[in-house]
Amino acid sequence: MTSFDSSPTLTAWRALLAVAVVFVMLATTGWTAVRHQHSEAPREIALASWARDRIAGHALPDTDAPPYRLAHFFATLTAGQQVAIADKYPLVVGNLNGAPVTLRYRANRHALALAETVEQQRTLDTRLSPDGRRQAVLRLARFRSMLAGDRQILAFDPSGRGHAAEVFGDLDRAKRVSVIVPGVDTNLLTLERTGRKKNAAPVGMAQQLYGAERAARPGTRTAVIAWADYTAPAGIGMDAALGGLAADGAVRLNALVEALPGTSAVSLFCHSYGSVLCGVAAGELPSRVSDIAVAGSPGMRADSADGLDTGARVWAMRDGDDWIQDVPNMAVGGLGHGADPVDPEFGARIVSANGAVGHSGYFEPGTDSLSNFAAIGVGAYDSVSCASTDQACHREISGDPDA
């Protein structure tokens, strides 16, 4: 399910699932008791301070409050108060669903600048192991890249492997919003890549989709979010075979969509393990989500598209050379992710991925997969090219020239 690494063999996957069964049995009977010690992260410290603080004589709102309540709180503040609180608590405001988008961008630039300073110091810390210093160098380069130019960082948390989200386009004015939900090995260091792997990373995916959507329908105001704001499985291991991280990520994805400004229609583009997350999230997604499109999916933790319990249209594609087709579509005791979304019996609209390159190449320019994603994202459904196995993928919908 990784977006970047070479494919595992079918035998390896079956072995993994067998080991996973044993692991779960041991874990549920108390044989495994692994403890991880974590020092308090900067954002946790900021949240604790936020909970004790006040502004204009009033307590600050609970950060877990619904987005509409948080939006109301910020609406009661003057512009100066908004800036002051964002600068004081950048790691809180920059990740706060309900805060104004432009304020989140400002807060995250501030948080990135602080993180850059800390990481610069760590690169010189002789107490770190060679690998620790190497990681510090890589993280420093990532933070500097994210600070370059006028990038619109919607979420940023440097804790652990890190979370982030970036916006392309004007999110406040967009009529159509697309959200890229990536898969395994998504973290701050893999947020973006260069060279031939550029379009296999979340930022590259979003850049290509944003350009393709603007080309597909220039008159439509669109925005694309590279959403790496959840804890993804690290490599092809236990977490990739289970749904726990997908369930946690689904809560975060639903919160993001609920907090998006305006009344734009939202489309989700879910790759690999990201499609597991989207499947888990589907039943709770706000009604503004019009489309869920999955590529290279190992399953969506549902027996059928109807089983997702969503009013959104469900689209699926898979490249003929994608190794994910060798992963068993099973669901036993929480292991595996269930039915294959490109199986006609699943009931998704199966679209062409012609030209895609294996498991990681669905967002490459010139591919049917990217052009189909773009057509879905801007609502140009008549332009979607169906897969040969589903010539009825246009059923009951048509393109909307005003989308």
Side-chain angles (χ1 to χ4, degrees):
M1 273 159 276
T2 178
S3 299
F4 309 119
D5 300 331
S6 59
S7 75
T9 64
L10 176 58
T11 301
W13 262 99
R14 286 174 172 162
L16 169 64
L17 291 173
V19 171
V21 170
V22 174
F23 182 93
V24 171
M25 290 176 65
L26 292 174
T28 56
T29 55
W31 282 69
T32 57
V34 179
R35 301 287 193 271
H36 297 283
Q37 300 296 326
H38 298 284
S39 59
E40 195 169 17
R43 187 163 185 267
E44 293 172 343
I45 296 172
L47 286 168
S49 180
W50 171 282
R52 297 189 299 267
D53 207 349
R54 303 175 72 82
I55 188 168
H58 300 286
L60 301 181
D62 188 336
T63 55
D64 291 330
Y68 73 88
R69 289 185 182 173
L70 293 169
H72 174 73
F73 163 74
F74 281 99
T76 66
L77 302 180
T78 66
Q81 287 173 327
Q82 288 187 4
V83 168
I85 201 170
D87 289 352
K88 185 175 182 179
Y89 295 107
L91 281 173
V92 178
V93 176
N95 296 284
L96 205 56
N97 289 316
V101 168
T102 53
L103 193 66
R104 291 180 68 171
Y105 297 160
R106 176 190 177 93
N108 285 320
R109 289 194 67 82
H110 191 178
L112 276 160
L114 294 173
E116 178 191 26
T117 299
V118 170
E119 217 61 43
Q120 172 69 47
Q121 295 171 346
R122 292 184 73 245
T123 64
L124 304 174
D125 190 343
T126 57
R127 295 170 298 176
L128 292 179
S129 67
D131 183 64
R133 294 178 73 178
R134 184 180 70 86
Q135 288 295 311
V137 169
L138 293 173
R139 284 166 61 88
L140 178 61
R142 171 63 64 246
F143 299 157
R144 286 176 172 172
S145 174
M146 294 172 73
L147 280 167
D150 56 354
R151 295 178 66 169
Q152 300 178 136
I153 306 301
L154 185 67
F156 170 70
D157 183 355
S159 306
R161 292 188 293 133
H163 294 171
E166 183 171 5
V167 175
F168 297 88
D170 188 337
L171 194 56
D172 279 319
R173 298 180 64 248
K175 191 171 183 180
R176 309 277 307 197
V177 174
S178 298
V179 182
I180 304 286
V181 184
V184 162
D185 286 333
T186 294
N187 55 60
L188 274 176
L189 293 184
T190 61
L191 176 68
E192 54 186 335
R193 295 207 170 195
T194 58
R196 64 185 182 86
K197 293 185 177 181
K198 176 181 179 181
N199 299 327
V203 166
M205 293 176 179
Q207 287 174 322
Q208 292 299 332
L209 181 59
Y210 181 58
E213 287 184 350
R214 297 181 73 188
R217 186 165 276 172
T220 297
R221 296 193 303 273
T222 184
V224 179
I225 302 173
W227 190 73
D229 194 22
Y230 81 103
T231 300
I236 305 298
M238 177 64 63
D239 285 335
L242 296 170
L245 293 180
D248 293 342
V251 174
R252 298 179 69 87
L253 178 62
N254 280 321
L256 166 81
V257 175
E258 185 180 353
L260 290 175
T263 58
S264 55
V266 177
S267 299
L268 305 181
F269 297 92
C270 318
H271 178 240
S272 195
Y273 189 84
S275 69
V276 182
L277 190 161
C278 288
V280 175
E284 300 296 326
L285 286 169
S287 59
R288 68 191 296 183
V289 176
S290 59
D291 299 275
I292 302 173
V294 303
S297 175
M300 300 181 73
R301 297 209 149 231
D303 293 330
S304 66
D306 287 341
L308 294 171
D309 193 26
T310 177
R313 288 173 285 269
V314 180
W315 309 81
M317 66 172 70
R318 185 172 66 214
D319 177 55
D321 293 328
D322 189 337
W323 58 261
I324 205 76
Q325 64 190 316
D326 293 331
V327 175
N329 289 106
M330 56 173 283
V332 179
L335 297 169
H337 305 304
D340 186 350
V342 297
D343 184 333
E345 293 186 2
F346 185 80
R349 302 168 189 271
I350 309 172
V351 298
S352 172
N354 188 44
V357 185
H359 187 61
S360 303
Y362 291 96
F363 290 83
E364 292 294 335
T367 60
D368 279 3
S369 49
L370 180 60
S371 61
N372 278 333
F373 280 160
I376 293 166
V378 297
Y381 301 113
D382 284 345
S383 299
V384 173
S385 57
C386 299
S388 59
T389 54
D390 186 4
Q391 293 304 317
C393 73
H394 295 118
R395 58 191 178 278
E396 298 177 3
I397 58 172
S398 61
D400 178 6
D402 297 320

